[in-house]
Structure formats: C-alpha cells, structure tokens
Amino acid sequence: MSQKQHNKKGTPKKEITSADLVIIDAHALAYRAYYALIQQNFRNLDQTPTWAVYGFFRMLFKILNDYKPKYIAITWDSIEKTFRHQIYQEYKSHRKPMPEDLIYQVEMIKDFLKKIGFPIILVNGFEADDIIATLVEKFKSKYYILLFTGDKDCFQLLDSNVKMLRGKKGVSEFVEFTVEILKDEYGILPEQVVDYMALVGDESDNVPGAKGIGPKIASELIQKYSTIENIYEHLDELKPSIREKLMQSKSDVFLSKELVKLNKNISEINHITEEELKVPNYLSHEVLSLFRKEGFQQIYKDLLKEFEKEKSKPSIPADDLFSFWEPSTKKTQKFQKDEVSYYFISNEEELKKHIEKIQTYSQLVIDAETSSLDPFDAKLVGISLCGEEKESYYISIIEGDSLFSEKGIPLDVAKYYLQKLMDRPIQWIGQNIKFDYKVLYHKGIVLPEIHFDTMLASYLSNPTIRQHNLDDLAMEYLNYETIKYKEIAGEGKKQKTLDKIDPEKVYLYSCEDADITFRLYKIFQQKLKENQLEKIFYEVEVPLVEVLSVMELYGVKIDTDYLRFLSNEYELKIQNLIKMIYNEAGVEFNINSTKELQTILFEKMKLPVQRKTKTGFSTDQSVLESLRYLHPMIEYLLQYRKLVKLKNTYIDVLPQLINPKTKRIHTHFSQTSTATGRLSSSNPNLQNIPIKEEEGRAIRKAFIPEKGYKIVSLDYSQIELRILAHYSEDERLIQAFERGDDIHLNTAQYLFGVSREQITSDMRSKAKTLNFSIIYGATPYGVSQNLGIEPEEAKELIEKFHKSFPGVQRYMNKVIEFAEKFGYVETLLGRRRYIPNITSQNKKLKEAAQRIAINTPIQGTSADIIKLAMIQIHKELKRKKFQSKLVLQVHDELVFEAKEEEIEDLIAMAKNHMENAIKLKVPLKVDVGIGDNWAEAH
C-alpha cells in the first residue's frame, strides 16, 4: 500500500502491502462502474447493456490481484427499508431510483458472483455500511482489512488495521484512505466522524445536519470540542452567527448523529466465520469460460494473464525447445512428452517417408504458418498436419532467401508432395481455414474439399460471442493453455515474423495448433449434432468458405482518379459548411470538440438540452436530429459530420487499401461477426456505405470493372417482408406477393382506408417505414421516431397494421412463446440465436429480447438464403468456366464483375439460383442492374 500507518505518537507502523480481508460495498462498486463507463455503452451482441458488469468485475479482480486477500465479503444494501427509515421517514428520499439499465446489470453481477462462489452478504433492514461495520468490528483485531466504498460514513471504521480504497479514475485507478489522510484532509479522527457528519449532514442520503455549517467550521468545532454534545454544552463560547445556526438545527443535528452512526453488532453477521469468507478460486477454467461465453473478452484476457502466472504450462517454453533433442537435418526430429508426438520434417527424404503415413488418414487438420497475414505478401514458412489426437507433423518450408535454408524443404519440392495429398479423398479441417485456403491457393495449392472449421463451429454454437480464436477455445473446451504466438515471435517492436525465426522453434507451436484443432473438431462434431446445427454448418457455412476465399483473393477494382476528384469536391463542401456554421454561431470554434460545441449550442444559443452525460450535454447524432428544426446551424452541422465521415472513412481511405501487386481492393468477409448470420466486411467495411443519399451513392461510383467487363448487381426485392409473409402465413401478404403487387401501396391502402389512386408518396413512404419497422419489432416510440410523428399516432398505425395483417401478430406471439420456452429462436435452416433476456424481469430488457426474437428468424433466414445462392452460383461459375466473377456481397445484394459477352447467361444463371435458393410460401424476386460502376448497376 502506498501510505504508511502511524500511531498517535507519530511512530511509523508496518506498511500494509496486502490485505487479509477485503470488504466490498457492491452497490457503490456497481454505481461507480455504471457512471464511469456509461459513455462507452458496452453491450453484447443482443444489445443488452453490460458496461456496469464489465466495470464491476474489472475493479473487483484488480483489487484481488493487487492485494491478494485470503478472505472477502461482498455486501449489498437491503432492498427493504432500514431502521434509519423508522427514525426518519425522509431518509434517502431525495435519491433517484436506480436507472433501469443498471437494474438488470446488478442482477447479472449478482448472478456472476454466485456462479464464481463469492460470499454475498445481505441482511434485510440494514445497509451495506452496517454489514461492513459489523464485519470490521468482528475481524479487525485479527486481520488487516481493506474496505472498498465511497461512503464517508465508513471513515468511522478506519483504524491502524483498517484502510479504505476509493475509486479515483474510471475503473482502473484507486486511492487508499487511512487514518492519517482523514486527519490531514478533514482534521478529525475516526471516532469523531459521526459527530462531524452530524454537523455537515449528507445531501445524497438526505441527512439534514446543521443548516449553514459547512465542512470547515464543522472540522474546527470537532477539533476543539470533540463531540456534538460537548459543542452544545459550550454554545456560549461560539460566535453568535454559528451559535444561532446550531441552536436552530439542534434536533436535526442529533437526529443526523443517529442516522450516520453505523450498527456494529448485527447478529446475523456475528455468526459468520472466516471459512465462509474464503476467496473463491476465480482463476479457474470455469470462471474463464463464464466470462468468455458471456462476451466479456477483456475480463477473460485479464484473468487469463493471472491464470498463466498460477498454472504451469502443459507445453514447452519457447526458450527451452532445443533441450529436448539433438539438432539434426539428417533425420526427423521428434518431440514426445505426455503422450504427445510432434514431428519436425526438414528434408525431402523424411517428407517422402512421412507422407506415406499421412495420406492414409481420411481426415486431416491443416495449419499454415506464414510470414504475414496478407496472403499476397506472405511467405509460406511451414505446414502442420494432424490426422489423430496428440500426433502432428510439421513440414518446414523454405520460400526464397532464408537464414535457415538447411532446416527446410524448398517450396516447389514441398508442393509436389502436398499435391499428392490434395489428390487423395481427404476431408480437410482447420481453425479459420479460410486463411489457410487463401495462402495455399496463392502458392498454387488448392484444398479440394473443406470439411470442417472449428472457428465456424464455435460461432454457430454460440453466435453472441465475438471471439472464437484457438487459444480461447482450447482453454474453454479442453482446459488447455496453448503456446502463444508472442512466446515464439516476441512482442511489440521486438516481434519477429516467422520466416526470421529458427524453424525448430516454430514447429512445436504449429504442431500444437494442429493437434488442438483436431481435438476441438471431435468435440464440436458432437456439439453440432446435439444442437441440430449440422445442416446449417455443412450445407451453408462450410461450403461458403471457398466462395468467400475466392472473392477475397480476386478483389474489386477502384477508380482512384475519381476518388481524388471526389475528395477535392467534398473538401470544398466541408469548408463551405464550416463557414456557414461559424456564421450562424457568430464565432469561430472547434467544430470537432464536444466541449466547445456544447458551449455554443446550450449556453450561447440556449437550445434545449436533450440528454446529459458524464462530461456535459450530449451532442451526438440523435440529439442533433432532434434539434434539427430549432436552429439553421444544426442542419449545417449534420451535413458537415456526414461529409467528414464519408471522406475520412471511404473517399480518402479506399486508395490506401489497394494492394500494390493486384491493384485491387481485397475486403475481408467475416462469417462470425454477427448474431443473425449476416456477413460483415472490413478493410473496407462495405456494409456501411450509405445508399439512400447521393453522397453515399457517389462513393459506389468508385467501384468499377476491368476493361471489357461490366458491373452487374442482383438484389433481392423485399426479401425480409417475403420471409415475414412465409412465417406469418398472412393471407393478404401472401396474395399480394403472389400477384406481384407493390406491397407498400397495399399497406398504405389498408392503413389510410383510401383507394390505390388516392395514395400519396408520403402515405406510401410511411407504409414502407412501418412495414420494415414491424419486422424489427419496433415499439410505438420507435415507429414515432422513424416517421417523425407522435407516439400515439404511431401506436394507432401499428394497431391498424395488425388488424390489416392479423397473421403477423400471430407470428410474433408464436415466436416469443417459442423463445420463452426454449431460450432461443431459429431460422428456416436451423441457425440458432440464444436470447437469455427473453425471461428477464426488467421490462426494457425483455421488450428488447422480444424484438430480437421477432427479427432474428427473418433476418437470419435472409442471410441463409443469400449464402445458399452464393454457394450455388460459385459452383456454376466454376463448372461452366465463366470469366465473370462474384466480387461483393452487401446486405441482400450480389455484385459481379461480368465479362460483357457473358452478361446475359450470367444474369439468367445467378437470378435462377437466387430466386430458387429456398422454397417459401411466396416467390422470391431479384432486381437486376448493369453499369460501368456499382452505383449505375444498383
């Protein structure tokens, strides 16, 4: 600990560097976490708020790791009124109720604490402070005690063996508070805190104190007279003004003393033993898995670091690799420990021998080691193969110049033998096998049949988790700590690429990865079967790997000259908007500074505050939208932000992403980043290029074909509404789609009770917005925001919609009932999404979960359909040897770079596969566009 303890004579006491017992005021910790991280707004993939949970456990585990206590008590306030309310009915009456999005998080915190095994202490009728006081009184003579609470009432508990820990900044910095600091800052001793608080009161708890007596005067009075009783006995010695205030507040002062005095003798607490307060094993496989499964990746990583310190590794430290064999390139080197056999193959003779054994396997894990994550730039360093648990073969490969040419096989030689494997009927398995496929493809080695990907299997088993890397899966499912990349390659600036590292140091790392992947394959095989996920896995996700690999390798062409022109054009518009903003504001300021913008909008212009944050008044997009018509500057601000974002995110960035070798952009498509099954893309993120406004469409003009080609776009028409019609079996919806009606006109006709001829564009627009809002389970408030109308009017429109299409309400009720019964919903092809909040007692969380339940089968089925179409189209492009290529997938749209003479055949083929990917109760329809760029084709 940073502060030294002193006794009253000033003699230094032993500095406490650890604590025997830590006592946590859990409510204080939860509130601190909530407000410290509210701006970050962490949520899981189901959009459940989690920032308070995250902050709570970051603080808790930091305290435990820093102070290493033997015992811990997690205390909570009583949910019932306490003895203080009996003394004073107005006690804490000014406190606002707990925020709704914190209520659920507190329950989640309690649930986690119980699962981990932390002792949770709550006594009805008492506050956490009283529980803390009783525990301190019981154990302070035996142990060094550390209290985590921000409550000043607990200052009265400070002692030579008792310190407090208070939050200083965020959820990572704390300050210790001791008897000495109390005396320095407040001028009082712990035994005087009750009398001091009786004078100053406590506004947060509605403890009245002495009106007009502040901390300075209170401190002076206590230092001189020690107690309030003694102060009132010597009123004649005080200044008239102070005497008058104290006389007027006498009853409040003595009442306050009763309120702030902590109960140190709660009978229920006195029975607690040390055994009941033992710190549980929070560095266990089960606890690591808990946080990973719930999506708290940073907490998982923090715990894993501590776990690594406590647990000896089952594998070999990188620095000790050479101690297990005699270096030799004449024969295969074999590492054997704990029944694990890993082989290092570094010459053709040994490769030839081992290939005879390897090719007898019907299934093989393949793991490629490279010098880079860029398949176009990467050197192939080695390949590990595994056909049974605990046995792996590492083929060390030399590509180009190498410091280790004597410890590897030339790439061309290795390719000859690898091709022999590729010609065998082997089912290929990998962890994120798309990377291996692309690297090998670029070297002229094509995996003929991808059978299994453990990363995809993990994702399908739990799509709400963001991370599915091998290290985490090994820990969760095998309780196995793998050799980490940094142990082989180093960290930070000292990190080397694998081609610069001795192959004999790489091989164990790679063999282990292949072995662990094979073990996980066996586990996930069974898991997919148990959860009835085999169809979606083997028929959709796995076949899609090759499709996406080929798309990523081919890439898409970008018109850099056009982007330079567009950048200059947008910069002129931005500068003009800046001038208009300054003109309206009457002063120049930093438009990108939240603080300066707050001052202009809410202090200078006196615009109404929409939402407060920890740092002031919010100026985010939703706030500006709500202020749009109150001042002309707001429109300029919104335009400014939009143009700056487009310029910085796409226009100026796209040219930087062009691969120097291919002269094309190679976006990365992810199958594991969304809970619904939709693909996402990165570098660049093509899903977020806006299409409804001209500024966004202008960016799509930059995506162009090669000479002799056109861009062809095939886009599903209203696919989600068609899926809704299928699920709901609503007669009117089905008939409308069968007739080929304009569904939005139909809806407008029912909503507004007019003939089709009388429907205005505004009516159709409202009907369209409502149609898609219904799919997403929007509330009247949500619809009102989307349409810019009052919630009551929105509610009426929703009711009219459900009267017009009664099958939709039946579907919603049915899917919510299913989710409540089974805890998940699924698509037509069996893709599952678990919805834990569907039975939540928190109204808002339950409603949000219901919206997810309603939307997921629709959006997920839409994702499945377009993936099925992509797989079939890819097969046809290969089989018929089209020169045209599928280059992009964005939302419900497929984009092709089409050879001009193939366009007609390509459209017929692709449209057929898209419209017949799955059989619904209504026909699927695809719109087609052709152009010299993406914008023209869409």
Side-chain angles (χ1 to χ4, degrees), residues 95-106:
R95 281 204 177 177
K96 294 180 180 178
M98 183 180 288
E100 281 199 39
D101 50 9
L102 177 57
I103 293 172
Y104 167 76
Q105 295 186 75
V106 164

Side-chain angles (χ1 to χ4, degrees), residues 114 153 163 200 388 469 537 580 590 645 830 897 901:
K114 287 176 184 175
D153 291 355
K163 287 186 178 182
V200 298
E388 61 180 295
N469 62 71
F537 181 75
M580 291 190 283
N590 183 355
K645 183 177 180 180
E897 189 174 293
E901 51 267 35

Side-chain angles (χ1 to χ4, degrees), residues 717-726 730-744 746 771 921-925:
S717 172
Q718 300 170 348
I719 186 171
E720 291 185 345
L721 287 171
R722 293 170 189 270
I723 295 168
L724 175 63
H726 173 87
D730 185 89
E731 290 183 13
R732 280 180 170 171
L733 276 179
I734 290 174
Q735 289 170 6
F737 281 121
E738 285 177 341
R739 291 193 302 264
D741 289 353
D742 181 329
I743 193 66
H744 303 312
N746 277 24
N771 280 337
K921 293 183 174 71
V922 297
L924 290 172
K925 184 176 180 295

Side-chain angles (χ1 to χ4, degrees), residues 597-858:
L597 187 56
Q598 287 171 350
T599 302
I600 295 294
L601 294 180
F602 305 116
E603 293 181 22
K604 188 173 187 295
M605 294 181 169
K606 306 295 184 185
L607 293 176
V609 173
Q610 303 297 299
R611 189 167 67 251
K612 291 183 179 180
T613 69
K614 189 180 179 183
T615 57
F617 304 135
S618 175
T619 61
D620 68 13
Q621 183 75 10
S622 62
V623 167
L624 293 186
E625 290 283 357
S626 65
L627 298 173
R628 185 171 222 142
Y629 304 109
L630 299 181
H631 197 285
M633 190 182 86
I634 304 299
E635 186 63 41
Y636 301 145
L637 274 171
L638 288 166
Q639 281 293 112
Y640 168 83
R641 284 188 177 180
K642 179 170 65 176
L643 294 183
V644 167
K645 183 177 180 180
L646 291 175
K647 187 173 184 292
N648 293 343
T649 307
Y650 294 107
I651 298 168
D652 292 343
V653 172
L654 287 174
Q656 300 172 29
L657 298 176
I658 294 174
N659 186 288
K661 293 182 179 178
T662 66
K663 310 300 181 188
R664 298 167 75 90
I665 280 179
H666 301 271
T667 190
H668 171 79
F669 291 99
S670 173
Q671 293 170 259
T672 62
S673 298
T674 68
T676 59
R678 282 191 176 275
L679 293 174
S680 67
S681 66
S682 57
N683 292 324
N685 180 353
L686 302 176
Q687 315 285 345
N688 286 354
I689 299 178
I691 187 59
K692 292 182 180 179
E693 298 174 346
E694 179 54 38
E695 292 86 357
R697 289 194 293 270
I699 295 171
R700 290 194 173 202
K701 290 180 183 177
F703 291 76
I704 59 173
E706 296 286 354
K707 189 175 180 181
Y709 288 74
K710 295 281 188 182
I711 295 292
V712 172
S713 166
L714 284 87
D715 193 4
Y716 278 113
S717 172
Q718 300 170 348
I719 186 171
E720 291 185 345
L721 287 171
R722 293 170 189 270
I723 295 168
L724 175 63
H726 173 87
Y727 271 119
S728 69
E729 299 180 322
D730 185 89
E731 290 183 13
R732 280 180 170 171
L733 276 179
I734 290 174
Q735 289 170 6
F737 281 121
E738 285 177 341
R739 291 193 302 264
D741 289 353
D742 181 329
I743 193 66
H744 303 312
L745 279 179
N746 277 24
T747 301
Q749 189 175 356
Y750 294 124
L751 288 179
F752 302 108
V754 297
S755 66
R756 294 174 75 85
E757 293 74 24
Q758 294 174 301
I759 295 171
T760 64
S761 59
D762 181 61
M763 288 177 179
R764 185 186 182 279
S765 178
K766 282 186 176 180
K768 181 178 180 180
T769 300
L770 185 62
N771 280 337
F772 287 107
S773 296
I774 293 294
I775 291 174
Y776 287 89
T779 62
Y781 176 77
V783 172
S784 72
Q785 293 295 102
N786 293 338
L787 290 175
I789 59 178
E790 292 299 316
E792 277 303 312
E793 185 183 349
K795 184 180 179 183
E796 288 178 15
L797 286 177
I798 292 172
E799 288 172 354
K800 283 183 179 179
F801 179 95
H802 286 303
K803 284 180 181 177
S804 303
F805 305 103
V808 174
Q809 187 65 65
R810 286 196 299 271
Y811 158 72
M812 291 180 172
N813 296 339
K814 187 177 178 181
V815 76
I816 289 171
E817 183 182 340
F818 181 94
E820 288 176 344
K821 183 177 181 180
F822 296 103
Y824 65 87
V825 291
E826 57 186 4
T827 66
L828 287 178
L829 271 70
R831 182 187 302 278
R832 288 186 181 181
R833 182 176 183 180
Y834 292 89
I835 311 176
N837 291 333
I838 197 69
T839 54
S840 172
Q841 298 303 307
N842 182 295
K843 184 182 176 184
K844 284 193 174 181
L845 289 172
K846 185 177 179 70
E847 287 176 347
Q850 289 174 342
R851 290 194 290 273
I852 290 170
I854 291 166
N855 172 249
T856 294
I858 297 169

Side-chain angles (χ1 to χ4, degrees), residues 211 232 242-252:
K211 191 173 182 181
Y232 277 96
I242 296 176
R243 182 168 62 244
E244 183 67 24
K245 290 173 182 175
L246 288 172
M247 289 175 64
Q248 290 179 355
S249 300
K250 184 175 181 180
S251 60
D252 284 343

Side-chain angles (χ1 to χ4, degrees), residues 99-358:
E100 281 199 39
D101 50 9
L102 177 57
I103 293 172
Y104 167 76
Q105 295 186 75
V106 164
E107 292 306 310
M108 195 173 184
I109 289 167
K110 288 180 178 178
D111 182 55
F112 276 32
L113 289 170
K114 287 176 184 175
K115 286 177 178 176
I116 299 168
F118 282 104
I120 299 172
I121 305 175
L122 184 154
V123 181
N124 285 333
F126 294 95
E127 296 180 59
D129 291 347
D130 300 308
I131 298 171
I132 293 170
T134 304
L135 288 169
V136 168
E137 191 69 17
K138 180 178 175 65
F139 293 113
K140 70 178 180 180
S141 62
K142 296 173 65 176
Y143 301 120
Y144 288 124
I145 299 175
L146 183 70
L147 313 178
F148 189 100
T149 175
D151 202 321
K152 292 185 179 70
D153 291 355
C154 287
F155 288 170
Q156 60 193 276
L157 304 176
L158 293 171
D159 182 84
S160 59
N161 280 5
V162 183
K163 287 186 178 182
M164 280 176 61
L165 196 64
R166 297 195 295 174
K168 179 182 178 183
K169 182 181 179 182
V171 295
S172 59
E173 292 186 30
F174 312 117
V175 291
E176 294 169 0
F177 201 87
T178 63
V179 173
E180 289 73 29
I181 297 173
L182 175 67
K183 190 172 181 180
D184 289 343
E185 290 189 10
Y186 292 85
I188 58 175
L189 297 172
E191 56 266 29
Q192 298 171 325
V193 167
V194 172
D195 295 274
Y196 170 82
M197 294 293 291
L199 290 173
V200 298
D202 187 342
E203 187 178 350
S204 66
D205 287 348
N206 199 30
V207 175
K211 191 173 182 181
I213 301 295
K216 186 174 184 296
I217 295 173
S219 178
E220 291 171 354
L221 290 170
I222 294 299
Q223 287 178 54
K224 186 172 182 179
Y225 299 104
S226 294
T227 67
I228 58 171
E229 287 83 2
N230 201 25
I231 292 170
Y232 277 96
E233 287 177 9
H234 296 84
L235 284 179
D236 58 331
E237 298 176 12
L238 305 181
K239 292 179 182 179
S241 60
I242 296 176
R243 182 168 62 244
E244 183 67 24
K245 290 173 182 175
L246 288 172
M247 289 175 64
Q248 290 179 355
S249 300
K250 184 175 181 180
S251 60
D252 284 343
V253 170
F254 281 92
L255 169 66
S256 298
K257 184 168 182 175
E258 288 301 307
L259 293 174
V260 300
K261 188 186 299 181
L262 297 179
N263 187 326
K264 299 180 181 180
N265 190 28
I266 303 174
S267 58
E268 292 92 333
I269 304 301
N270 284 326
H271 296 304
I272 291 176
T273 64
E274 287 99 322
E275 187 67 26
E276 295 173 85
L277 299 180
K278 276 189 175 180
V279 174
N281 180 15
Y282 62 94
L283 296 177
S284 68
H285 172 250
E286 290 74 21
V287 176
L288 287 167
S289 295
L290 171 67
F291 283 100
R292 184 183 170 273
K293 285 178 179 177
E294 295 294 339
F296 294 94
Q297 194 66 16
Q298 188 57 52
I299 295 177
Y300 166 78
K301 288 179 179 178
D302 291 345
L303 289 177
L304 186 58
K305 286 180 183 177
E306 296 299 321
F307 182 83
E308 289 172 351
K309 294 176 186 176
E310 301 291 329
K311 186 173 181 290
S312 59
K313 293 171 70 66
S315 47
I316 303 303
D319 291 341
D320 296 335
L321 295 182
F322 292 110
S323 64
F324 292 91
W325 61 82
E326 293 181 6
S328 168
T329 57
K330 299 300 181 183
K331 63 179 183 177
T332 304
Q333 295 172 12
K334 179 181 177 182
F335 165 69
Q336 192 160 359
K337 184 187 178 190
D338 298 332
E339 301 178 0
V340 173
S341 299
Y342 295 159
Y343 297 88
F344 177 72
I345 304 170
S346 60
N347 61 72
E348 184 178 0
E349 181 184 346
E350 292 299 320
L351 176 58
K352 184 178 180 181
K353 183 183 76 173
H354 284 293
I355 282 291
E356 296 300 318
K357 166 76 182 296
I358 294 169

